[in-house]
Amino acid sequence: MNQALLLECAARYGTPLYVYDGDRVLEQYRSLYDFIDYDKLEIHYAMKANFNVGILKLLRDAGASLDTVSPGEVLLALKLGFDRSKIIYTANNMTDEEFEAVLSLGVTMNIGSLSRLEKIAKRHKGMRLCLRFNPDVTDGDSAATMTGGDLTKFGILFDDLDKVKALVDRGNLKVIGLHEHTGSGLQHTESVYRSMDNLMAIATPENFPDLEFMDFGGGFKVPYKPGEARVDYRQMGREIREKFVAFCQGYGRKLKLYFEPGKYMVAECGSLLVTVNTIKHNRTRTIVGCNSGFPQLIRPMLYGAYHRIVNLSNPDGKEAMYDVCGNICETGDRFAEQRPLPEVRESDVLSIENAGAYCYSMGGVYNLRPMPGEVVVVKGVPALVRPALTNEELVDRILAMSDGAIPKKA
Ligand code: LLP
């Protein structure tokens, strides 16, 4: 994002602050329609990556569909005016109560376990649903984000196809879609093709005669590290199209093609702006202390993820090596370790890049610090879509929520 604009946002709204480039989000969304030239393509944005209301509204107005994973996500989407027909619900390990609540909202349910399918076959005869299979392909940018393969909890194994068919018959169910999701930040385009092939192999008219769509999940990666190659999505789009068109010919009907990107849509569109308040020279390390911490951007600490850091205030400073740390009482509270940066001084504003996906949305208030505010920039104009709570407001909310639990003095 434009560095002058980021500095302006930091000055106007204070830090820590998330800033998202709304136009870039729309560009990312539209680029997939350009790359995957198939007229029945539907991009379901995985809103778990970033549920900022400003971003969701931009995508709603652009016609996007959604991938949702909790009753809360479905409720937010419906309240924002997303059409229920555009929402797919892919929760795992859901309770009966959650299942019934979401079902009653009329969105398409994506079912990833025999246990749930069995209950549906018993209680919801004739239901239209999507089935999630485990693609049997393992890929992702960290072990924690690989969803395919036997070691994960996701999807139904292909080995269980006969059991699935028996349950579908027993419940007279209508399987309108098949789904798989291989992982997040897929390192090899081959993995996308292999997962597609594996799922398409069982999607025969004999097995599933009522299919209306095939959903191949998300996982499209974007570069995080300097010099990391960008996937040739135009080429990948061509291959996907070719595969899917051939599949539809075999199936005998032109099906809809769904993808569910999260990172691809928003990761590169966001920055977390933080201000340096302390510089400490330890024996071997120079430690930069700033006014944010891992509860506000947890990916480096949780996955060892790399996020580029830009010193907005001193871009031409002499390069030195730093540990960039937060303000939380844990040693692992670091955004970067041994990172070369242009000289960092107290009061400098740093931008932690690629902070649009799974950063705010995975945040929390550990150590009782309010989450940063969020700004969305559209056509160069910033809007504070969600202000940060003050310390006072955060504490008052906690007290108000817990009020009934405070024992009254006798
Ligand atoms: N569809 C399903 C069923 C998913 O489980 C996910 C992500 C997506 C789509 C979107 O994947 P994406 O395009 O964003 O890679 N917190 C982790 C990522 C977890 C992804 C969980 N599921 C991270 O920060 O790397």
Side-chain angles (χ1 to χ4, degrees):
M1 221 176 311
N2 177 317
Q3 301 199 350
L5 185 62
L6 288 178
L7 277 174
E8 192 187 311
C9 287
R12 191 183 309 173
Y13 304 108
T15 64
L17 183 75
Y18 274 98
V19 184
Y20 306 120
D21 181 343
D23 299 308
R24 179 84 195 273
V25 173
L26 292 176
E27 265 170 43
Q28 292 295 105
Y29 169 68
R30 293 191 177 119
S31 71
L32 289 173
Y33 284 93
D34 179 28
F35 295 149
I36 309 172
D37 180 19
Y38 181 74
D39 59 348
K40 293 181 121 187
L41 174 70
E42 279 184 24
I43 297 301
H44 289 243
Y45 167 57
M47 67 182 279
K48 63 173 89 66
N50 189 327
F51 53 83
N52 178 280
V53 165
I55 288 180
L56 288 172
K57 282 184 175 167
L58 288 173
L59 287 169
R60 174 199 64 196
D61 294 346
S65 301
L66 292 178
D67 159 48
T68 60
V69 292
S70 69
E73 285 193 354
V74 177
L75 280 179
L76 178 58
L78 292 175
K79 285 189 184 204
L80 284 175
F82 279 89
D83 196 290
R84 62 195 72 241
S85 67
K86 292 191 156 193
I87 301 175
I88 184 155
Y89 184 66
T90 304
N92 70 93
N93 300 337
M94 55 185 134
T95 65
D96 292 347
E97 290 73 23
E98 280 169 358
F99 174 80
E100 297 297 338
V102 175
L103 184 65
S104 71
L105 296 174
V107 305
T108 301
M109 306 293 276
N110 185 18
I111 304 303
S113 77
L114 287 175
S115 146
R116 176 60 54 194
L117 190 60
E118 212 168 322
K119 290 184 188 169
I120 294 172
K122 225 179 271 168
R123 301 180 199 154
H124 294 281
K125 302 276 178 217
M127 183 175 151
R128 287 159 56 84
L129 44 72
C130 174
L131 290 178
R132 175 176 188 171
F133 281 90
N134 181 324
D136 242 346
V137 173
T138 307
D139 195 356
D141 53 14
S142 109
T145 61
M146 299 178 180
T147 34
D150 331 354
L151 297 183
T152 83
K153 61 178 178 164
F154 296 104
I156 301 171
L157 293 179
F158 292 128
D159 305 357
D160 288 329
L161 181 60
D162 288 341
K163 289 184 194 151
V164 166
K165 281 166 43 180
L167 288 171
V168 166
D169 280 349
R170 194 185 311 160
N172 197 19
L173 306 177
K174 206 163 171 200
V175 180
I176 58 168
L178 295 183
H179 171 277
E180 65 81 16
H181 172 68
T182 308
S184 190
L186 298 173
Q187 300 299 298
H188 312 282
T189 46
E190 269 308 310
S191 304
V192 177
Y193 310 145
R194 274 175 42 226
S195 289
M196 287 183 75
D197 286 343
N198 290 354
L199 191 67
M200 291 187 302
I202 62 156
T204 60
E206 295 72 34
N207 287 338
F208 299 105
D210 303 314
L211 291 180
E212 294 170 10
F213 66 87
M214 294 288 281
D215 183 338
F216 298 106
F220 295 163
K221 85 175 199 124
V222 294
Y224 278 74
K225 293 189 179 141
E228 192 177 336
R230 191 171 286 276
V231 172
D232 183 349
Y233 282 109
R234 192 169 293 286
Q235 173 59 23
M236 181 163 148
R238 274 197 289 266
E239 299 218 18
I240 287 172
R241 178 183 188 281
E242 211 166 282
K243 265 185 192 302
F244 197 66
V245 166
F247 159 74
C248 288
Q249 273 164 3
Y251 187 78
R253 200 161 61 235
K254 195 166 170 190
L255 302 186
K256 289 185 278 187
L257 170 61
Y258 293 179
F259 284 98
E260 301 170 342
K263 272 182 191 161
Y264 179 86
M265 298 270 287
V266 290
E268 294 172 284
C269 311
S271 302
L272 172 62
L273 306 183
V274 303
T275 304
V276 175
N277 53 43
T278 310
I279 306 237
K280 186 176 278 188
H281 299 283
N282 278 6
R283 281 185 208 107
T284 55
R285 300 215 166 175
T286 303
I287 295 174
V288 168
C290 63
N291 63 346
S292 177
F294 76 84
Q296 304 184 349
L297 191 154
I298 201 172
R299 300 188 75 257
M301 180 148 166
L302 191 61
Y303 308 121
Y306 182 102
H307 283 255
R308 212 157 62 86
I309 297 180
V310 178
N311 186 349
L312 296 175
S313 308
N314 193 22
D316 302 320
K318 187 167 178 286
E319 199 171 273
M321 201 62 98
Y322 299 97
D323 283 4
V324 181
C325 296
N327 52 9
I328 297 299
C329 300
E330 291 203 27
T331 302
D333 179 31
R334 277 187 205 103
F335 294 119
E337 196 170 359
Q338 292 300 281
R339 178 74 59 86
L341 291 172
E343 185 193 359
V344 180
R345 308 154 307 180
E346 292 185 355
S347 303
D348 279 357
V349 177
L350 308 181
S351 170
I352 305 179
E353 305 278 283
N354 276 28
Y358 304 106
C359 290
Y360 189 101
S361 71
M362 290 178 74
V365 295
Y366 179 48
N367 278 205
L368 273 196
R369 290 179 183 280
M371 283 294 288
E374 293 184 289
V375 166
V376 179
V377 180
V378 178
K379 297 195 169 49
V381 182
L384 183 61
V385 170
R386 176 169 166 142
L389 295 180
T390 61
N391 290 314
E392 192 86 9
E393 285 164 339
L394 174 64
V395 168
D396 283 349
R397 279 190 193 200
I398 289 169
L399 286 173
M401 284 189 292
S402 327
D403 199 29
I406 300 173
K408 300 267 180 296
K409 265 198 180 151

